[in-house]
Structure formats: structure tokens, C-alpha cells
Amino acid sequence: METSVTAFLWKYTKKLKIWCFLIIITFALATVLGRMFNYFSAEMVDLISSAPTNAETLHKLLILSGGIFVAISFQSLVEIAQRLINVRFLPYYLSKVSRDLFSHAHKHSSSFFAEEMAGNIAGKIKNIINNTEQAYFHILYGLLSPILSFCINIVFIYMVNVKLAFCFTGVTLLFAVLMIWLKRKLIPFSERKNKLSSEATGVMVDSITNSDLVKNFSNYLYEKHRYYNSVNKMMKALRTEELKSSKIDYAVKVVFDIMTVSFILLVFYFWYAQNISIGGVVLVLSLISSMIHVVANISMFTTRFVQIVGAIRDGLKLLARPYEVTDKPGAPAINVSEADIRINNLNYHYKNAKALFQDFSLHIKPGEKIGLVGHSGSGKSTLVRLLSRYYDIQGGEILIDGQNIADVTQDSLRRNIALIPQDPSLFHRSIMENIRYGRLSATDEEVYEAARKAYCHEFILKMPQGYNSKVGERGVMLSGGERQRIAIARAILKAAPILILDEATSALDSESEHYIQESLKELMKGKTVIAVAHRLSTLKEMDRIVVMDNGKIVETGTHEALIRKKGAYFGFYNMQVSGFIGETQ
């Protein structure tokens, strides 16, 4: 995506060249028709001042009046055509921008969304769309229309006196260059204001999203001060921008007033030198009045447009960051038949952090079920995220059925992996939609069957609207166990050959876990399974357990073999047994 605002806007404009051409033509035609009023009025003045007062003169005046009526009527028709073109052009233009921004944001890696607040990202996308719409109208009515008006005015003045037209053109161009040079200085101030505005929105969304957490810790005052501080920073930047803008506008106004008086004196000088008639004076003075209005519009346009450019540029700087995870050109879709996973000499580290994996290797046979065990930070969850290619590794390779996951498309890879996380994400949509998200083409009956296998069908039917019940943002209207069972039903529906359980039963009570363990046994049949787990009930079902510490494998074997070995896994086992006995006493 382009970081240049001009390139960004032109990218969409050039796709609609015909409509742009029609817009320019209609604006030019409307301006010419509008100036015909000035032209016919000047002709009337010349006629009245020089012709005798008789029927013939009256007849000529009536013809000129008819010309004014025709011009005004056609101008109204052209302006209606302009509106109809806008109705066709603008929605299509903005829809293209909106779709591209949405797609571009989603293609960023997980680290991008981990580093940036969701509210900040959404705020910047909204700002770009809103300011793109404003840019359209400002360019149309604040730049294109005034420039066409100025050019057509000059043509009419040229018809009165060539030298006068050249004088007006030269002085106006010098003024325009000076104005643009001064107002470009506002861009950094506008950019900073919009950056702080997006940050304030991000702080607000982050706080509101976690409103329960704020209440639990009684930290409303802290959150209020934090948001107020972000707003104060934004307001300070706004004041700075407005102060700078006021100074520049004042300087431009002084130059503009001097230029206006100079134009009027110049017209009287040419009349005094008998180079133009009285009608010519009337025409030129009326056109000068129009040109003063045009230049004033351009001045206001430049100020606002600079602010718009700053807002769009601020958003583009964030969204246009290079993708961290990309598909290779022409990458094929992965073909998974056996789900044999080989991790060879893996090297990986997070940004500005020490290496987590160095020459890490692991082979998971087709249909094998392995459990990953280890302390927090040992690399278990990172390993499964690397397998789904949420991040790119720095060395080594990850193969599925002999295919390097870096050489295939990300979408095809993830379609073959079903992930059930510890804290499942649910949309603020109906339960039916959330389960069907595993396979959008699934029928209602297939959704019901997946829910039954995940032991959530019964509690769904007890809800006010059954499967049509909304779950709230991130599923807040459901308990942790209910959310987890919805996520498992979604994974059952996906039916991917590789299954990843990332603490999938940790949020369940004992009764729910019993049902889920039974459903997982069915779900795991014929699949290659990687389970990040601590609970013994999950680990005992695994063919092999891999114990990890600081990105290394320290033990591997079956549950029984590792218990007999009395090593690291035995320590985990003893801690869990002691905790379980303590809970039951």
C-alpha cells in the first residue's frame, strides 16, 4: 500500500477515468454558462450607454435577456447532471477504498495486531475513509471548480483586453505559489494531531472493552485520568495546529487584500487609458469579484486539505507497514493427505529478544497424538503458532507431508489446521454463526451435530433464542466453559486433518471437562494432534509427551514411561496430583 497520499488517491481515481472526465466537463460547462450572465450583462451596459432609447434597443436588450435565461436554465440542468455523476462515482470510490483497507489490515501478521491496539487500527481506517470522502469534495469544489472558474474568467478577460488578462494571470499564480508554500508547513502539525487523536481513540476502546476488569479493580479514576491525558495531548496538538494555521491565514489574507485592491486599480487604469469600454469595466469587475471568491475558496481549501492530507498520511503510515508474513509469488496451496509434520533445525526469536528456538527438531508421525508440557515461556504456544505460520521462522524448516509451509499459501495451510485455544475468540454474532464459522457451507443440521458432539447443544437450546442467541462481544454472555465448547464445536465442523489443542480444557469445570474429553476422543480420531496441556486427563490420551524447557526438548515418551523415569515430567505430575488431592479435601 502506498504511503503517499497523492498516490493513494490516484490509485482509485485512475480506475474511474471516464467518470472523472465527465465531472471535469460538467464543471467546466456549468462555469461557462454561469459566466454568460456576466458577459450578457456587460453587453447590456454597453448597449444602454451607447445606443438610443428606442424599440430596436429594447428588442436587443430582450434578446440578451433571453440569452441569460437560456444560460441559467442550462446551467441548472448541468448541475443536476453533476449531482447524478457524484451519486454514481463517490459510493463506488469509497467502497473500493474501504474494501482495500479492510483486506490490507487483515493481511498483517499476528505481531502487528499484538503491538497495536484494535481501537487505534480501526480508528485510523475510519479516519482514512472519512477524510478520503472529504478530500473528494474539497478537491471537487475547493480546487477543481475554482481553477476551472479562474481559467474561464481569464478567457473572458482576454476577450476584453489581452494585457489585462496576462497581468491577472501572473499575479494570481504568484499568490497561489506563495499560499501553497506557506500552508504545506501545516502538514506535520496536522499529522501529529491525527496520530494523537487515533491514540486517544485506542485508549478509550481498550478501556471500554475491558470494562469488567476496570470494575473488578475499582480503577475507574485511573482509566479516566489515562484517557483524559491522551485527550489533553490531542487538544494541545490541535491548539498548536490552529495557532500555526491562524498565523499563516493572516499572512495570506494580507497578501490577498493587497492583490484585490491592485486588480481593481489595474482595471481603472486600463479604462483611463481607453483600452476597455464601460461594459468591459463592468464585466471585468464582476469577474474580479468572482475571482476574489475563487481565490478565497482555494485559500480555505488549502488549509482544510492540508489537514485532510495529514490525517490520511497518519493512517497510511501505520497500515502501509510491510507485511511480516507473506506468500511467495505463485505459491501453491498445500496438499495434506497424511498430516506428517517435521520440524527441522528450527531457529526463531521474537523482535529484539534472545533466541527462543535454536536447532529445534521434532517429528510428529501421521495420526500421532503428542502432548507439549513445560513451564510458561518454554515455547509450547509459540511452536504451535509457528506451525500455523502466524510468524516466519529465522532458520530451519517446517514440513507437512514433505511440503515446506513457507512455500505454500497461508490460507491453504490454516484450512488444514483446527486450533482450539485456551481463550477462544467469538464474534458478537449468533451462536449459529459462530459455530458455522468453522465451515461456512455447513447446513443447520451439520451445525447441530457438531454442537451435540461438543456437548453444547443442550445449553444452547435453553438460551432465550436458542441458536440465534447473540453471545456478546468476545462471547461475554457465555461462561468460560460454554465458550470453550462452542469453539470445540466449531473445530469439529472444520474437520481439519491437523488438530491443535492449546490448553483447550483449562477453562472447563470438572463436569464439562468430562463431556469434552469424550468429544475430543471422537474429534481426534484419524488426526495428527498437538495438545499443549497440563491436565492429566488430556495428557494420558496422548501417544507421546514432549517436555520442553527454554525452547528445548528435555524429555519425550509416553505418560507411563516418563512417570517411571522420574524426571521433569514426573515433577509436573506430582504438582498436579498434589493440587488435585488438595482440592478434593
Side-chain angles (χ1 to χ4, degrees), residues 258-289:
I258 294 171
M259 184 184 72
T260 302
V261 174
S262 300
F263 279 175
I264 295 172
L265 293 174
L266 196 60
V267 172
F268 289 141
Y269 170 77
F270 273 82
W271 169 79
Y272 179 76
Q274 297 183 347
N275 290 320
I276 57 176
S277 65
I278 295 175
V281 171
V282 172
L283 176 60
V284 173
L285 286 178
S286 66
L287 293 176
I288 287 176
S289 175

Side-chain angles (χ1 to χ4, degrees), residues 134-157:
Q134 292 185 46
Y136 170 79
F137 284 110
H138 275 76
I139 291 173
L140 209 59
Y141 296 100
L143 183 64
L144 178 61
S145 179
I147 287 176
L148 288 172
S149 179
F150 174 80
C151 293
I152 290 166
N153 285 353
I154 289 295
V155 170
F156 277 95
I157 295 174

Side-chain angles (χ1 to χ4, degrees), residues 346-350 354-357 382 386 391-394:
L346 172 65
N347 291 306
Y348 176 76
H349 63 81
Y350 289 107
K354 67 177 184 179
L356 176 60
F357 294 111
T382 301
L386 290 174
Y391 312 107
D392 270 338
I393 60 179
Q394 283 87 35

Side-chain angles (χ1 to χ4, degrees), residues 356-372:
L356 176 60
F357 294 111
Q358 286 185 306
D359 295 325
F360 179 93
S361 296
L362 177 65
H363 179 211
I364 306 170
K365 298 174 183 178
E368 187 178 16
K369 300 166 183 58
I370 72 162
L372 298 181

Side-chain angles (χ1 to χ4, degrees), residues 400-447:
I400 297 179
D401 287 352
Q403 302 159 88
N404 192 327
I405 65 171
D407 297 332
V408 299
T409 60
Q410 298 171 65
D411 281 348
S412 67
L413 170 67
R414 292 165 192 155
R415 278 196 294 269
N416 285 278
I417 299 175
L419 171 63
I420 304 177
Q422 179 179 3
D423 183 20
S425 295
L426 298 181
F427 292 105
H428 185 20
R429 303 171 190 172
S430 68
I431 292 176
M432 174 69 78
E433 289 175 289
N434 273 287
I435 297 177
R436 184 176 275 137
Y437 208 75
R439 180 158 49 87
L440 297 176
S441 61
T443 64
D444 288 356
E445 188 53 47
E446 287 174 322
V447 172

